[in-house]
Amino acid sequence: MVHFLHPGLSPRNIVPPDAQKDALGWCVVQEEASPYSLVNICLNVLIANLEKLCSERSDGTLCLPEHWSFPQEVADRFLGVMTWQGKLTDRTASIFQGNQMKLKLVNIQKAKISTAAFTKAFCHHKVIELDATAVHTDLPISDILSGLCSNSWIQQNLRCLLLDSTSIPQDSRLLFGQLTGLRVLSVFNVCFHSEDLANVSQLPKLESLDISNTLVTNISALLTCKDRLKSLTMHYLKCLTMTKPQILAVIRELKCLLHLDISDHRQLKSDLAFHLLQQKDILPNIVSLDISGGNYITDGAVELFIQQRPAMQFVGLLATDAGYSDFFTAKQGLRVAGGANVTQISEALSRYRNRSCFMKEALYRLFTETFSMQVTMPAILKLVAVGMRNHPLDLPVQFTASACALNLTRQGLARGMPVRLLSEVTCLLFKALKNFPHYQQLQKNCLLSLTNSRILVDVPFDRFDAAKFVMRWLCKHENPKMQTMAVSITSILALQLSPEQTAQLKEELFMAVKELLAIVKQKTTENLDDVTLLFTLKALWNLTDESPAACNHFMENQGLAIFIQVLETFSESAIQSKVLGLWAFYHLITSRRRNNIAEVRELSSKLVTEDVVKHISNLLHSKEMEVSYFAAGIIAHLTSDKQPWMTHDLQRSALLQDLYATIQNWPSSSCKMTALVTYRSFKAFFPLLSNFSQPAVQLWALWAMYHVCSKNRFIYLF
């Protein structure tokens, strides 16, 4: 059974076992690379279809079918997945009413549910753990406690209660005293006062307490539970009015403590940890001490403190001047959250996933450590993703995390990353873009991530949103290097959008085609045959595929004249192929679709011009098989329709004869065709095959089908 105890309170952090030291990376790879479990697949399907599967009560809430019943472990997971997906509402929470679900571990983090819905759905269960972190203000802490205490079983048996960042109505009293079975309590970032601490300290079984960033001014009440308190977290306890000796006097009495966290924001320059390290008769049983952010902390002081307490297994030293000596690497069984190396940074990212102040510090250190990284580290990338997910509105976290993600996936590193993990990171990057639309450096990082072929081709993410973003960026006239990247990404994303999605781009599509044509015109005028030109031609080719709107934009922006100029300027077959590809009826590279301008009937007549026909006729006899093949396709398509040729019938007849003679001279095998031509279906060939009055057109269609079937037989023949 997986428990969701707060990271600072969990048994793993109180007594971290050595076995976990090297397990994280392996576990992440195994989890992310493995298929989803059957239980998770079923739960996802169930949640997606909840409205269809459930009936509706008179009050508008949902009700499960009467014969349905869930085991406790599945019910707990079901609720957890609903919460994770943001699907837990008053309407859906009602399925947990009654006895069809038997819950023990209730996770409602960040849920927007009312007090009434919470009480009806969860407070009749035998709950032993409740995570209500950052629930909506409609469900304040006072109502949560009231609901829990309405069940006598929960009063005696609830063991863990997490209320971090949860609201409290003004002048409300927090009645924790009735939860007599409570062992773990976290009220991080809550309006929790010294009076509340006095009330909580009297709980008879309390062992773990987190009062970080609360309004507590005096911790003397902890002396009440000094004989049972094992874990105390009081990070950034900014309202304390006690002197350092008074605070240390209280801590000295907490002899049962195994874990103590007195970390602080570095800019506050707290010296409490410095004074603690000087004490010899304090914390005799401690195994985990967090003093990150503390001032005046040195390697020597920390080493001496640990040597006097050989049972210590963890120390937090991030944002301090300590952690850099060989002692911290050499000591067996000691884990360090710091910034000295990747191992320490990894521990910091894991420990401080909910603390933005330390998350930014750890990410900054990670960025510098991974700038020239050559080893795939999925476990680290997973921790970066967790930081991004937990702090979506924190710009420093999002920006630094995006830079770290780039370092961890650059060049060939992404190939060793699980696809599911890359998908999560990519989606988080685009979420950051939406939250910070005007922060250009964050946009650059996202653009750079999309230049990774592994991500762009293999990884699932919202390609429609990505295309909109990249096209907008393309039109900003950035420096040439960024422009080349935007063009190359556009060319690939265009292949991955459906015709319907391309049509929805509207303004972005118009601006992108206009900008791409401007780039082609500039390169042609400069007689500059570079990679940007090739990417731009490819992008235009792909954008016009099955997109009448893009074809119209192309023609409206003098695309035909620009492309004729390209053919007159450059003789390279790679450029000729891409120009013909946009005109032709079929597609190169990895497309499985028909294309392009020639298939849009109302535009076909615009292609039947003296310049176009002259260039296509010449290229039909190219020594490069691909170029000849593409030119033949254009001729076959254009000549299959008599209407554009009403005043050029003799020219059409000559073209058809030339086409027939050229195809006859092609080799019977298509082995000379190095380009991989693919189609979504053969429907586009049917009009050509049925044109019995033009054998040359039929011959080209048959040859083309033969070619793609011989190259991709498993796609088309099975």
Side-chain angles (χ1 to χ4, degrees), residues 284 320 486:
T320 71

Side-chain angles (χ1 to χ4, degrees), residues 258-433:
L258 301 177
H259 166 78
L260 175 63
D261 182 347
I262 54 171
S263 59
D264 214 332
H265 291 196
R266 187 169 196 170
Q267 60 268 30
L268 296 182
K269 299 182 178 180
S270 170
D271 60 354
L272 176 61
F274 167 77
H275 291 290
L276 175 70
L277 293 175
Q278 314 307 315
Q279 311 297 311
K280 294 183 179 180
D281 57 341
I282 200 169
L283 303 174
N285 299 309
I286 200 74
V287 297
S288 171
L289 177 65
D290 199 332
I291 52 176
S292 290
N295 216 15
Y296 311 121
I297 296 173
T298 64
D299 280 340
V302 178
E303 288 176 27
L304 181 61
F305 187 88
I306 294 174
Q307 287 169 348
Q308 293 171 348
R309 297 157 184 82
M312 281 193 65
Q313 298 177 25
F314 168 78
V315 61
L317 299 174
L318 185 67
T320 71
D321 296 326
Y324 296 89
S325 75
D326 294 338
F327 170 83
F328 298 101
T329 305
K331 181 168 174 54
Q332 293 292 320
L334 180 67
R335 298 167 70 178
V336 181
N341 51 55
V342 172
T343 302
Q344 289 189 13
I345 295 168
S346 172
E347 185 69 24
L349 289 170
S350 178
R351 294 269 174 170
Y352 305 132
R353 58 185 63 190
N354 293 319
R355 298 181 186 176
S356 62
C357 63
F358 290 155
M359 180 59 67
K360 343 180 163 166
E361 178 79 18
L363 287 170
Y364 174 75
R365 301 295 182 93
L366 180 65
F367 174 75
T368 58
E369 286 286 331
T370 58
F371 191 75
S372 57
M373 178 65 64
Q374 297 183 0
V375 180
T376 302
M377 305 185 74
I380 302 293
L381 185 60
K382 181 67 176 179
L383 292 172
V384 172
V386 170
M388 294 183 74
R389 186 178 296 279
N390 287 356
H391 307 282
L393 301 179
D394 192 307
L395 177 57
V397 169
Q398 295 298 316
F399 167 59
T400 315
S402 69
C404 291
L406 275 178
N407 286 352
L408 293 166
T409 57
R410 69 173 68 248
Q411 298 172 352
L413 294 179
R415 298 197 176 279
M417 295 287 185
V419 169
R420 195 185 305 168
L421 177 57
L422 289 173
S423 176
E424 179 184 5
V425 172
T426 305
C427 292
L428 287 168
L429 285 171
F430 279 107
K431 186 176 181 180
L433 285 178

